[in-house]
């Protein structure tokens, strides 16, 4: 049995999201899958889980828990707001 490991990265693409289940891609190219209620592209996630090799879809990180890491510096906040422009002007 494989032990859990951690993976941290920016969610860049949501391939599938239904009923709280996500299949997505991180900036480094890693494919992730697991329960994530409201995925946000552009947000850094700290994921705990394990790597699995799916016969059909290849190597994926199956996470069992996650923590969104919100930006704390001006550049990170600006980048986050540019990804989520609803209701925000220049």
């Amino acid at each position: 049995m494989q032990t859990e490991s951690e993976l941290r990265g920016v969610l860049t693409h949501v391939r599938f999201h239904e009923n709280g289940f996500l299949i997505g891609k991180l900036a480094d190219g890693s494919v992730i899958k697991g329960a994530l209620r409201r995925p946000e592209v552009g947000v850094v996630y700290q994921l705990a889980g394990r790597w699995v090799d799916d016969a059909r879809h290849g190597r994926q990180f199956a996470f069992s828990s996650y923590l969104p890491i919100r930006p704390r510096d001006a550049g990170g906040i600006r980048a986050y707001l540019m990804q989520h422009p609803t209701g925000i002007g220049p």
Side-chain angles (χ1 to χ4, degrees):
M1 185 166 144
Q2 186 180 7
T3 61
E4 279 204 344
S5 58
E6 291 189 348
L7 179 64
R8 183 177 186 155
V10 178
L11 181 64
T12 57
H13 182 73
V14 174
R15 289 186 180 170
F16 175 83
H17 184 251
E18 190 172 304
N19 297 322
F21 181 79
L22 166 79
I23 298 174
K25 193 170 190 178
L26 299 182
D28 69 358
S30 299
V31 176
I32 60 171
K33 67 178 182 177
L36 203 157
R37 190 172 292 215
R38 292 186 186 110
E40 294 182 66
V41 170
V43 171
V44 176
Y45 286 96
Q46 180 75 35
L47 308 166
R50 59 187 178 87
W51 287 100
V52 296
D53 290 310
D54 184 278
R56 184 172 176 194
H57 301 290
R59 191 160 173 82
Q60 302 172 334
F61 190 77
F63 63 92
S64 55
S65 65
Y66 68 92
L67 179 65
I69 308 296
R70 302 287 183 214
R72 296 180 186 214
D73 64 345
I77 292 169
R78 182 174 190 272
Y80 175 81
L81 291 175
M82 289 179 74
Q83 292 285 333
H84 303 84
T86 305
I88 299 172

